Amino acid sequence: MAEPVELPNRLGILAFRNKVLLPGAIIRIRCTSPSSVKLVEQELWQREEKGLIGIVPVRDAAESASVGPALYPGGGTDSGERNVKNHSGLPETRKADGKSQQEPVHWHSRGVAARALHLSRGVEKPSGRVTYTVVLEGLCRFSVLELNSRGTYYIAKISPLDITKADMEQAEQDPDFVSLARQFKTTAMELISVLEQKQKTGGRTKVLLETVPVHKLADIFVASFEISFEEQLCMLDSIDLKVRLSKATELVDRHLQSIRVAEKITQKVEGQLSKSQREFLLRQQMRAIKEELGDNDDDEDDIAVLERKMQSAGMPSNIWKHAQRELKRLKKMQPQQPGYNSSRVYLELLADLPWQKATEEQKLDLQAAKERLDSDHYGLVKVKQRIIEYLAVRKLKPDARGPVLCFVGPPGVGKTSLATSIAAALGRKFIRISLGGVKDEADIRGHRRTYIGSMPGRLIDGIKRVGVSNPVMLLDEIDKTGSDVRGDPAAALLEVLDPEQNKTFNDHYLNVPYDLSKVIFVATANKVQPIPPPLLDRMEVIELPGYTPEEKAKIAMQYLIPRVMDQHGLSSEFLQIPEGMVKLIIQRYTREAGVRNLERNLSALARAAAVKVAEQDNTSAVSKDIHQFSSPVEESRLAEGAEVEMEVIPMGVSNQEISNALQVVSPLIVDESMLENVLGPPRYDDRETAERVSNPGVSVGLVWTAFGGEVQFVEATAMAGKGELRLTGQLGDVIKESAQIALTWVRARAMELDLVATGEISLMEGRDIHIHFPAGAVPKDGPSAGVTLVTALVSLLSRKRMRADTAMTGELTLRGLVLPVGGIKDKVLAAHRYGIKRVILPERNIKDLAEVPSAVLSNLEIIYAKRMEDVLEQAFEGGCPWRQRARL
């Protein structure tokens, strides 16, 4: 044990990162960095037995929440003297122990003097770097008064904090100290006894309790525990003997309790096997005793309870026989057998399924159903009419097999909420099953019971959770199922959605037929194309188009704004959004088919209003109870720009007072300046189309996506080259072929269109043409861009700009015919959203305009084209000149 040591005024400092060396502790370290090697060589190796160094804990400033006072060197070079000042907070200095000099570290203000018990020197090969291996023993605490650098390492001016003999004699006269010392020794003796009993060692450790002073014992015991860095620092800072003993007693007792808990767990695990064997024998004896006495106590038997539950489930006769066989098999098994739990869970599923239980349908009121649909959804007249027709048939023939409705439309148009409205109108329970991303057939049909962790499919599990056999079941995102080696979920749905087959739906886990014919299935999808044709054939597709700006404004005023207000705890007394501002949001910040982005923008306005209301709350109702106070410490910290980590909580302010204070505040009315402050500058501009087509070679097309219709610009340019055509914009094979057809048609009619001078051999001679579809990150494909491509090429080669108020769609043939395309409804709505006034459509798509709202058609000029010449005539101001009409 170390004898009292007289410390010098200055010590070389070795930094310990996130580690503390306590007095009396012994630690082995290996020094490899240049700074630590230099320190050990000059302060320990050259001075031999007289060498002493100081160990000071450091931590990364990014990880540090300051513990006690901190130190950091001032400015200067490595060779110069850099002074140290005492501050609170996180200082910035170079990394200790050879780390990067740009990363800040936190130096602790106290450390421990240490001497080397063993010191060895080595040389690494082949680098030749010198390293030292040192065994250090902590001697006593010291306080760092000043920190300077000497070459590559630090030198500190220190003040010893060791306990003198006089201080120790005075402490021994203190009753509190004597009591703490006695308590510490008692707890330490218990710990030593437990460890010696566990490790079968002698009583050598107990000698320490009798020979070493108690204040050194505290450091020695704590140094041997695995404790956190903060607890180590706390122990290092415990200069007062009472505080040190109290903390050491707490840590020793915690270590003792953890050892006892670990022993208890070990004994419990070791005795588990013998306990299971005893339980098995006792259960056998108990069963034999009950049989002799004729007392089987069925009320307390879990198997009997399960059997009664199965009897009351109302299973069909063939399924009941199957369940009885499983139950007899379960009765013969022991709870410890591997298949016992799986058999019991299976029987519990059979008992929980609603075989006969169904929701009693109330008398259908079609007028009430209409009112419910109108209250939940705005517009969608044809969709609502189809639902009312379905309900009318159910009213006349309750057991009629209705069709499977599939709502198809872009996101945010109300597909899922329509399904909930159907359930509410019928008075049935509603269950939603998401099929997005499902690739395993077992998600529909379930796993076979032979597999570990098997479970029923989502349909049977949903029926069990809803508790009735005739719910309204929503199959959400049916177009997003996949297929892999585990099967095809879409193929498994063929049986589910077929009224002739789902009466005997066979789940692999259930392994008995279950009647799904009473379930009303409703499906949703964003697009029809990914759905396999056999599955699509079993559903009646109802398309939900996007909303017009006028419909969006009505939806926002009637549905979205009240809901957003309620979600943010606001009312019209605090925030008012005029209808004119809603229309500006729709026009400048959203161009979507649905209303989700519109709702997000309204929520952003509500959040901004909530902040202002909350700020008014603090200033009007709370500030009156906050009194001014000051202190020299706080004033100095405020002067230095530091954060004051203090929170004043006012007392006596009731919710009623706050509410009354808020009621007198005038409501916040949204205007254009608030829109730009909260939502940012407008994202869309009605002048975008005019700006894009201001130069020749640009045309405006209409495309269909899973999110509704969109406006697609097509750009073309020419350059000197070898007559090649380049296409960019992440295009598919079909649209690339459309571009080849468009170029071929233009080259074949170059003379008629005045695109080449008389005598020129070829339109492409000596030039290349590059066609680009902007938004290159979005994949594009389809035949409907044919007329748009021709218009862009003619505009480029004739140097004539296309009309900015016109958009078009249609497929082109080599002979110049314009063929019909799909998605007309969504494309026309997209043109209306973008502020386009004229739309050129194939003549054979006239029938599709019946689905477009009349309010949209009244604001658009629809032009029908049979041939490509008709498109060019309407696409350019004043028509497109050509020498003679092309004929078939």
Side-chain angles (χ1 to χ4, degrees):
M1 193 61 55
E3 298 296 332
V5 177
E6 183 177 352
L7 298 181
N9 291 332
R10 292 181 179 272
L11 280 178
I13 299 300
L14 178 63
F16 268 25
R17 185 170 305 279
N18 298 332
K19 182 70 176 177
V20 176
L21 176 66
L22 293 174
I26 298 175
I27 190 171
R28 179 180 178 272
I29 62 172
R30 184 169 180 265
C31 301
T32 58
S33 65
S35 59
S36 59
V37 168
K38 191 70 174 177
L39 170 68
V40 172
E41 184 173 348
Q42 293 189 1
E43 303 294 333
L44 295 180
W45 182 266
Q46 295 178 2
R47 299 187 182 185
E48 297 181 349
E49 296 180 356
K50 296 182 180 181
L52 294 176
I53 62 173
I55 306 299
V56 177
V58 298
R59 69 167 70 193
D60 296 341
E63 303 172 356
S64 171
S66 180
V67 180
L71 297 170
Y72 70 95
T77 62
D78 283 345
S79 59
E81 292 290 328
R82 291 179 291 182
N83 295 327
V84 174
K85 300 179 181 179
N86 287 325
H87 291 274
S88 60
L90 294 177
E92 290 188 2
T93 183
R94 64 181 182 181
K95 280 276 187 178
D97 202 17
K99 300 293 181 182
S100 171
Q101 296 187 6
Q102 283 72 31
E103 300 180 18
V105 297
H106 176 285
W107 289 80
H108 202 60
S109 62
R110 294 188 180 97
V112 173
R115 67 178 178 184
L117 297 180
H118 176 76
L119 184 60
S120 61
R121 182 175 182 176
V123 178
E124 291 185 351
K125 294 182 180 181
S127 63
R129 185 175 62 172
V130 176
T131 63
Y132 285 95
T133 301
V134 190
V135 178
L136 294 174
E137 178 189 13
L139 299 179
C140 62
R141 294 172 174 83
F142 62 79
S143 178
V144 181
L145 302 179
E146 184 179 327
L147 189 62
N148 304 313
S149 68
R150 177 182 293 174
T152 59
Y153 65 92
Y154 285 104
I155 295 291
K157 182 179 179 181
I158 65 169
S159 173
L161 298 176
D162 200 7
I163 304 297
T164 64
K165 186 176 181 181
D167 294 337
M168 192 63 196
E169 291 177 354
Q170 183 180 356
E172 290 176 350
Q173 304 300 322
D174 188 350
D176 293 338
F177 175 77
V178 174
S179 176
L180 284 172
R182 186 181 302 111
Q183 182 182 0
F184 172 76
K185 287 189 175 183
T186 302
T187 307
M189 183 63 71
E190 292 181 15
L191 176 62
I192 292 172
S193 300
V194 171
L195 291 175
E196 289 180 349
Q197 183 180 1
K198 183 178 180 181
Q199 299 174 0
K200 306 298 182 183
T201 60
R204 292 174 297 175
T205 312
K206 295 181 180 179
V207 180
L208 291 174
L209 297 176
E210 301 173 358
T211 58
V212 179
V214 67
H215 67 284
K216 293 186 178 181
L217 272 177
D219 290 330
I220 294 173
F221 269 79
V222 171
S224 63
F225 301 153
E226 291 290 339
I227 59 177
S228 66
F229 181 55
E230 283 72 18
E231 290 175 325
Q232 295 176 14
L233 287 179
C234 189
M235 194 65 187
L236 176 64
D237 292 336
S238 300
I239 307 301
D240 185 82
L241 293 181
K242 295 179 185 179
V243 175
R244 190 187 308 175
L245 281 178
S246 177
K247 292 181 179 177
T249 303
E250 179 185 351
L251 293 172
V252 171
D253 184 66
R254 189 175 71 186
H255 191 66
L256 177 62
Q257 297 302 325
S258 64
I259 292 176
R260 287 175 174 172
V261 170
E263 287 183 347
K264 186 176 180 180
I265 294 174
T266 303
Q267 293 174 359
K268 186 176 180 180
V269 171
E270 290 176 350
Q272 193 67 37
L273 181 59
S274 58
K275 181 180 178 182
S276 301
Q277 293 173 346
R278 288 197 305 270
E279 286 181 356
F280 174 74
L281 295 175
L282 290 174
R283 288 182 186 278
Q284 292 291 339
Q285 294 174 4
M286 188 182 298
R287 180 173 298 180
I289 293 172
K290 285 184 177 182
E291 290 178 357
E292 291 294 331
L293 295 176
D295 182 13
N296 287 326
D297 196 7
D298 290 339
D299 294 334
E300 300 298 327
D301 193 350
D302 292 341
I303 302 299
V305 173
L306 177 59
E307 185 175 6
R308 287 195 298 272
K309 188 177 178 181
M310 293 169 58
Q311 291 172 351
S312 61
M315 303 179 192
S317 57
N318 59 329
I319 299 175
W320 172 243
K321 291 179 181 179
H322 172 77
Q324 280 185 317
R325 289 195 301 269
E326 288 289 334
L327 184 61
K328 290 179 181 178
R329 179 171 169 266
L330 180 66
K331 288 180 179 180
K332 296 178 182 180
M333 299 173 65
Q334 297 299 325
Q336 295 79 14
Q337 290 183 260
Y340 180 86
N341 285 332
S342 61
S343 296
R344 179 165 179 169
V345 170
Y346 173 70
L347 290 175
E348 288 177 349
L349 174 64
L350 290 177
D352 290 337
L353 282 176
W355 299 96
Q356 302 295 335
K357 184 179 179 182
T359 302
E360 293 184 6
E361 289 191 8
Q362 52 193 355
K363 186 177 180 181
L364 288 174
D365 187 349
L366 295 184
Q367 185 61 33
K370 290 180 181 178
E371 293 175 357
R372 176 61 185 264
L373 290 172
D374 290 336
S375 65
D376 292 344
H377 302 85
Y378 182 84
L380 305 177
V381 178
K382 291 187 177 181
V383 177
K384 293 178 183 177
Q385 182 62 32
R386 180 62 186 88
I387 294 175
I388 294 298
E389 292 172 359
Y390 174 76
L391 297 179
V393 174
R394 297 286 303 184
K395 181 177 181 179
L396 299 177
K397 188 175 176 57
D399 58 345
R401 295 178 181 175
V404 178
L405 302 180
C406 180
F407 298 128
V408 178
V413 296
K415 301 184 293 295
T416 303
S417 57
L418 276 173
T420 59
S421 298
I422 294 175
L426 289 171
R428 295 193 182 189
K429 292 188 176 181
F430 176 77
I431 181 71
R432 173 182 170 272
I433 296 177
S434 178
L435 299 178
V438 173
K439 296 183 178 181
D440 192 350
E441 181 186 355
D443 282 329
I444 307 299
R445 291 187 178 275
H447 302 81
R448 299 191 184 276
R449 290 172 57 202
T450 53
Y451 296 106
I452 297 176
S454 58
M455 61 183 67
R458 297 192 180 193
L459 301 179
I460 295 298
D461 183 66
I463 294 290
K464 173 191 170 184
R465 285 188 284 115
V466 80
V468 293
S469 60
N470 61 343
V472 174
M473 182 175 290
L474 174 64
L475 303 177
D476 208 6
E477 310 291 354
I478 199 171
D479 59 328
K480 295 178 178 60
T481 60
S483 60
D484 57 15
V485 294
R486 295 171 292 180
D488 186 359
L493 286 172
L494 294 176
E495 179 185 1
V496 175
L497 301 181
D498 191 340
E500 298 296 332
Q501 300 181 36
N502 61 14
K503 290 190 297 183
T504 57
F505 174 69
N506 190 4
D507 185 274
H508 289 160
Y509 181 86
L510 198 61
N511 205 27
V512 292
Y514 188 86
D515 187 3
L516 292 178
S517 61
K518 301 176 184 177
V519 179
I520 296 178
F521 290 101
V522 179
T524 66
N526 291 129
K527 48 187 178 180
V528 177
Q529 287 79 2
I531 304 176
L535 181 60
L536 190 64
D537 182 61
R538 285 164 167 77
M539 301 184 293
E540 179 181 345
V541 176
I542 300 177
E543 293 187 357
L544 277 69
Y547 295 113
T548 64
E550 292 77 13
E551 290 175 334
K552 289 182 180 180
K554 296 293 184 182
I555 292 172
M557 300 303 295
Q558 296 181 19
Y559 303 97
L560 300 183
I561 292 179
R563 184 165 67 192
V564 168
M565 292 282 198
D566 181 67
Q567 290 174 349
H568 293 79
L570 300 173
S571 65
S572 58
E573 297 176 356
F574 303 130
L575 176 65
Q576 294 181 5
I577 306 178
E579 186 174 359
M581 294 299 102
V582 174
K583 292 181 178 179
L584 279 181
I585 296 174
I586 296 170
Q587 180 182 359
R588 297 180 180 179
Y589 294 93
T590 63
R591 279 186 180 173
E592 56 173 346
V595 292
R596 284 183 181 166
N597 284 331
L598 175 59
E599 185 175 5
R600 292 188 185 101
N601 289 324
L602 294 175
S603 298
L605 295 174
R607 290 194 299 271
V611 171
K612 294 187 177 181
V613 170
E615 290 175 348
Q616 292 170 351
D617 173 7
N618 291 334
T619 56
S620 62
V622 177
S623 61
K624 61 182 180 181
D625 286 333
I626 300 179
H627 302 284
Q628 297 293 328
F629 64 95
S630 62
S631 66
V633 175
E634 183 181 334
E635 290 176 358
S636 65
R637 295 189 60 163
L638 289 174
E640 294 171 4
E643 293 185 0
V644 180
E645 297 179 351
M646 184 178 297
E647 181 180 5
V648 180
I649 302 178
M651 304 299 294
V653 181
S654 65
N655 293 333
Q656 185 64 33
E657 292 176 352
I658 296 175
S659 178
N660 294 336
L662 291 176
Q663 289 178 359
V664 300
V665 179
S666 60
L668 179 64
I669 301 177
V670 177
D671 54 11
E672 289 192 40
S673 62
M674 182 177 178
L675 287 183
E676 292 198 7
N677 291 334
V678 177
L679 303 180
R683 301 173 188 171
Y684 305 103
D685 192 349
D686 291 340
R687 296 172 297 176
E688 179 184 3
T689 305
E691 293 173 355
R692 297 287 288 270
V693 300
S694 59
N695 296 321
V698 182
S699 60
V700 185
L702 298 173
V703 297
W704 180 91
T705 70
F707 302 98
E710 291 291 340
V711 170
Q712 175 67 59
F713 295 92
V714 178
E715 300 175 351
T717 187
M719 68 210 82
K722 301 178 181 179
E724 296 178 353
L725 174 65
R726 299 179 184 177
L727 301 172
T728 56
Q730 199 173 164
L731 309 179
D733 293 336
V734 177
I735 202 168
K736 290 179 180 178
E737 292 176 355
S738 298
Q740 293 288 348
I741 293 172
L743 180 60
T744 300
W745 188 89
V746 171
R747 293 178 65 182
R749 286 158 179 77
M751 295 292 294
E752 290 86 347
L753 296 174
D754 268 345
L755 300 181
V756 294
T758 306
E760 286 191 15
I761 301 175
S762 172
L763 180 68
M764 298 293 292
E765 184 177 2
R767 73 168 61 152
D768 287 346
I769 292 181
H770 186 170
I771 299 177
H772 177 64
F773 287 70
V778 181
K780 309 170 189 69
D781 204 2
S784 61
V787 296
T788 313
L789 287 163
V790 171
T791 305
L793 290 172
V794 172
S795 172
L796 171 69
L797 298 173
S798 65
R799 298 180 182 178
K800 191 173 184 180
R801 290 179 298 180
M802 177 187 165
R803 293 184 58 158
D805 61 348
T806 304
M808 62 191 69
T809 184
E811 181 180 357
L812 176 69
T813 68
L814 281 175
R815 306 299 299 274
L817 294 177
V818 179
L819 301 183
V821 293
I824 293 298
K825 187 177 184 180
D826 292 314
K827 293 177 180 178
V828 172
L829 290 177
H832 183 254
R833 285 199 304 270
Y834 274 75
I836 291 173
K837 302 301 181 183
R838 303 168 75 245
V839 178
I840 302 175
L841 299 177
E843 188 178 48
R844 290 166 59 183
N845 279 121
I846 296 178
K847 61 183 184 301
D848 298 315
L849 292 178
E851 301 177 0
V852 181
S854 57
V856 175
L857 292 177
S858 62
N859 293 327
L860 293 174
E861 178 186 355
I862 306 298
I863 302 167
Y864 304 105
K866 186 176 182 181
R867 298 184 54 80
M868 190 62 223
E869 290 86 346
D870 302 332
V871 176
L872 297 177
E873 182 69 24
Q874 298 294 333
F876 296 93
E877 194 73 42
C880 183
W882 48 70
R883 294 180 180 176
Q884 61 182 9
R885 297 276 181 179
R887 297 177 181 176
L888 286 176

